[in-house]
Amino acid sequence: LEKAAAKTLAFGYGTTFGALYATSPSGETKSLLLEGSALGLAAWGVGYLGWLPATGLMPAVTKQEPRQIAGPIVSHILFGIVTVGIYRLLRRIC
C-alpha cells in the first residue's frame, strides 16, 4: 500500500509540475537542456527542500549523505528535460 501511495504521489507531483510548466507564460529558451534542467531543479527544490521535510516524509537534505541527494537531483533534471521536450513536441504537432 505504501509503494502504491508513493507512486501515486510521485505521478501527481510530476503531472502538477508539467501542468504548471505548460500553463506558465511562454518564455521559452532555445536550450531544451537548460529549460528542462531548470524545471527539474525547481521540482526537486520544492519537494526536497520544502514540503517533504516539512511533512516528515523525508529528512532535511542537510541530514542526508551526498549520494542520497545526488540521485534525486539527477532524476528530477531528467524529468524536467523529458517534460519540456514532450511539451515542445506536442506543441509543434498539435
Side-chain angles (χ1 to χ4, degrees):
L1 184 61
E2 190 176 312
K3 272 188 172 183
K7 289 204 182 277
T8 302
L9 183 61
F11 179 77
Y13 189 66
T15 50
T16 299
F17 265 86
L20 287 171
Y21 173 78
T23 58
S24 66
S26 180
E28 185 178 298
T29 66
K30 292 189 188 304
S31 173
L32 168 68
L33 294 178
L34 181 63
E35 197 166 329
S37 295
L39 175 64
L41 286 172
W44 177 85
V46 168
Y48 284 75
L49 300 174
W51 71 270
L52 286 168
T55 59
L57 291 172
M58 294 215 50
V61 221
T62 55
K63 296 182 179 175
Q64 296 181 34
E65 297 293 320
R67 64 178 175 77
Q68 294 174 298
I69 301 166
I73 288 175
V74 170
S75 65
H76 280 79
I77 288 172
L78 291 173
F79 155 78
I81 292 168
V82 170
T83 300
V84 170
I86 289 172
Y87 174 77
R88 288 182 178 186
L89 176 67
L90 289 174
R91 224 175 82 208
R92 215 175 297 132
I93 62 174
C94 292

